[in-house]
Every structure is written in structure tokens, then in C-alpha cells.
Amino acid sequence: QKAIDTYDQDPSFYHNVALVCELRKQSSEAEQYYKNALKVYPDYGPSWINLGHLYKTLGKTQDSLRSYKNALKCNLNQTARQ
């Protein structure tokens, strides 16, 4: 809990916790942590990509495609800002 309190506004924190959850085969927890990262920073492309991969492995094709599309939008948004 202390780590969450310290890094609650850092999307990479939630993203990394999600990766650990995936390694432990805790899909629902991983999904929630990716979503937490995206609440903090909706344009965090790595979480959209990994969420897409997670959905793909779970057989959630439409959710997977939606996540990949959001990842592409993030990439376009970041390119446009430069």
C-alpha cells in the first residue's frame, strides 16, 4: 500500500505491477492495473498495447482491437505534439 500511495500518479508503476500480475497468471489483476495506469495517463501507449495483448490471450477479440486502436491514437497524439 505504501508504494501505491507514493506512486499513485505514475502510470509506469501500475504498468509494471500489471506485468508482474501477468507473469503470475493473474489476468484480472493485470487488467485492473493496466486500467489504473490509463486512468492516471490515458495516452500511456505501453499499457494500451499490453492490455490489447492480454485481451487477445483471453479471447476478447473486440476489447483487444479497441486497445490496439487506442495505442495507435496515443502514438499519433504524441507525434502531433512534437
Side-chain angles (χ1 to χ4, degrees):
Q1 183 62 42
K2 186 175 182 178
I4 292 173
D5 292 341
T6 303
Y7 300 105
D8 69 334
Q9 295 302 308
D10 182 358
S12 65
F13 168 75
Y14 293 109
H15 181 85
N16 290 330
V17 173
L19 292 173
V20 171
C21 290
E22 279 197 82
L23 289 172
R24 293 181 175 180
K25 308 293 186 207
Q26 299 170 326
S27 299
S28 61
E29 290 87 349
E31 178 184 13
Q32 190 56 52
Y33 279 108
Y34 286 131
K35 287 180 176 181
N36 287 346
L38 295 165
K39 283 180 190 173
V40 171
Y41 184 54
D43 284 341
Y44 194 64
S47 286
W48 281 119
I49 292 169
N50 283 22
L51 188 57
H53 294 331
L54 178 65
Y55 285 145
K56 183 179 175 188
T57 62
L58 295 174
K60 297 180 175 182
T61 306
Q62 292 304 314
D63 290 331
S64 178
L65 290 171
R66 195 171 313 119
S67 295
Y68 291 140
K69 286 178 184 177
N70 282 324
L72 287 172
K73 287 179 193 174
C74 293
N75 190 28
L76 291 172
N77 289 342
Q78 290 175 355
T79 302
R81 286 187 204 131
Q82 294 176 352

